[in-house]
Amino acid sequence: MKKSHHIETLISESDIQRRTREIGAALSKELAGKDLVVVGLLNGSFIFMADLVRALDLDVEVSFMRVASYGGQTVTTGEVKILHDLDCTIQGRDVLIIEDIIDTGLTLYKVRNVLKDRQPASIRIVTLLDKPSRRRVEVPVDYVGFTIEDHFVVGCGLDAAGRYRNLPYIGVVTPGEA
Ligand code: IMP
Ligand code: MG
């Protein structure tokens, strides 16, 4: 693929595939027999979600949500702007939220509260990547693909200004290089 930045591979495509299958197998055991709704947070989760749901040996309903994330100070109050909401009810059902990366934790903290208000039977969170050193609010995360240092990463759904989501590996962008 044509790139205008230098991108250093951090996690290879095969490592991501192996780990996704591992998580899928664990979730398939844990969630057997449940009335499962898989919630993907757009846009970043679409690639990991597509891979993970295919690694689930379960009946699932898939739905998407898109929220606006503000970087400001008021965000810890739990307010969140929903740009696109789920197209199904989650009351009494088991919810699995799929995220690309947890950074400050604010997005998931808010989304989790919004979904909790709808009285699901349970909420689980799975993320491809976790940057714990950047956390501002604690969120209970059930499955983490890979824990990474404080790098800005792209690929597997993650973007830099809208680009590089389709890279099949996770890479670190080195700025200023053509
Ligand atoms: P949080 O609310 O700070 O946890 O933000 C999570 C969101 O920030 C993710 O869903 C990503 O869209 C974005 N994000 C955080 N770190 C990165 C990164 O290294 N690369 C690309 N997007 C990121
Ligand atoms: Mg995102």
Side-chain angles (χ1 to χ4, degrees):
M1 184 179 146
K2 205 162 161 260
K3 307 188 213 79
S4 47
H5 296 91
H6 179 74
I7 296 176
E8 195 90 37
T9 303
L10 184 66
I11 307 168
S12 72
E13 182 174 6
S14 58
D15 283 351
I16 294 164
Q17 284 172 352
R18 183 189 43 76
R19 184 70 185 125
T20 304
R21 283 194 297 268
E22 243 171 49
I23 294 174
L27 282 168
S28 298
K29 272 192 197 155
E30 189 177 329
L31 296 170
K34 303 259 189 203
D35 181 13
L36 185 63
V37 183
V38 175
V39 172
L41 299 186
L42 294 172
N43 293 334
S45 73
F46 81 112
I47 301 229
F48 178 50
M49 182 176 187
D51 289 339
L52 185 61
V53 293
R54 285 180 291 178
L56 293 179
D57 187 16
L58 298 169
D59 274 332
V60 301
E61 183 165 354
V62 166
S63 197
F64 294 95
M65 197 165 188
R66 184 175 180 147
V67 300
S69 44
Y70 309 100
Q73 298 299 312
T74 59
V75 281
T76 46
T77 60
E79 276 172 53
V80 62
K81 186 167 182 193
I82 300 171
L83 302 177
H84 175 85
D85 206 345
L86 302 180
D87 58 3
C88 62
T89 176
I90 59 168
Q91 189 173 11
R93 307 177 73 188
D94 295 279
V95 171
L96 177 67
I97 303 175
I98 303 190
E99 180 57 306
D100 52 359
I101 188 166
I102 308 180
D103 188 30
T104 62
L106 291 168
T107 305
L108 268 179
Y109 176 84
K110 292 180 288 183
V111 167
R112 194 173 179 278
N113 284 342
V114 167
L115 297 187
K116 224 173 137 188
D117 282 348
R118 301 180 188 178
Q119 301 172 314
S122 68
I123 300 182
R124 286 175 180 76
I125 293 174
V126 52
T127 184
L128 175 60
L129 302 175
D130 186 13
K131 276 198 252 189
S133 62
R134 299 248 315 156
R135 202 72 94 250
R136 285 172 57 194
V137 285
E138 276 317 309
V139 209
V141 187
D142 298 278
Y143 290 91
V144 173
F146 301 90
T147 299
I148 63 169
E149 303 289 312
D150 184 13
H151 300 298
F152 190 82
V153 290
V154 293
C156 286
L158 290 141
D159 71 303
R163 300 188 58 204
Y164 304 127
R165 291 193 197 273
N166 59 324
L167 294 178
Y169 55 89
I170 295 292
V172 179
V173 181
T174 311
E177 230 179 287

